[in-house]
Amino acid sequence: MAASPYPRGSVPSSPFSPLRSRTHNQICRLQTELMQLMMSTTPGISAFPTDGNLQHWTGTINGPEGTPYESLTFKLSLEFPSNYPMAPPTVLFTTPMFHPNVDMSGRICLDILKDKWSAVYNVQSILLSLQSLLGEPNNKSPLNGQAAELWDKDPKEYKRLLMLRHKEAED
């Protein structure tokens, strides 16, 4: 048997290569999602590739009305794995956040970003889900126990701590 002309672990550049096809499909999907977001009239959410890199986006969500987050804006980082949309992106709050389902590093506990992920979800549905989560946390599965407790017991202290964290982003 002849030795492969390709270095060990490399992928041939054939247009029929499964990796090339998957990468092409991912790029097409992300381009479609970007156009969908740009054409959307959904208020309070946006996302764009960071420095033209389709696999790393910066998202923005506005806090929903009638919640402690009203009139605040939050930035997020979205990293798309090579097998997106079959696997969820890694989404983090980059703006300091105080929320029952977000830890102090910005990691998010949301089922659609973990075990309930489906390829039917897209960037827009992720951002809308996160915006909804701001006003309706899942206190049964908190990443931030203090925030979960204050959400139910002391809304004024909750808002004070939220504003302290949000102020860190402005400093």
Side-chain angles (χ1 to χ4, degrees), residues 11-42:
V11 177
S13 60
S14 161
F16 303 107
S17 162
L19 181 59
R20 177 171 287 241
S21 175
R22 185 171 64 207
T23 302
H24 175 75
N25 289 342
Q26 179 193 40
I27 289 169
C28 288
R29 166 76 182 245
L30 288 170
Q31 286 173 332
T32 300
E33 290 190 33
L34 178 59
M35 289 304 296
Q36 209 176 20
L37 270 170
M38 291 171 62
M39 304 298 284
S40 172
T41 58
T42 305

Side-chain angles (χ1 to χ4, degrees), residues 119-150:
V120 300
Y121 293 123
N122 59 27
V123 173
Q124 185 172 14
S125 61
I126 292 168
L127 295 175
L128 288 171
S129 294
L130 289 171
Q131 192 177 48
S132 177
L133 184 69
L134 291 181
E136 300 172 16
N138 178 1
N139 280 344
K140 293 178 183 151
S141 179
L143 282 178
N144 181 334
Q146 179 188 23
E149 185 175 330
L150 290 174

Side-chain angles (χ1 to χ4, degrees), residues 71-111:
S71 79
L72 300 177
T73 300
F74 300 92
K75 295 236 182 270
L76 302 117
S77 164
L78 295 93
E79 292 279 342
F80 299 92
S82 60
N83 59 342
Y84 180 81
M86 302 316 292
T90 300
V91 183
L92 300 170
F93 276 95
T94 55
T95 302
M97 174 57 81
F98 188 75
H99 187 276
N101 305 117
V102 181
D103 71 13
M104 293 304 208
S105 297
R107 290 182 296 252
I108 303 162
C109 181
L110 182 62
D111 59 358

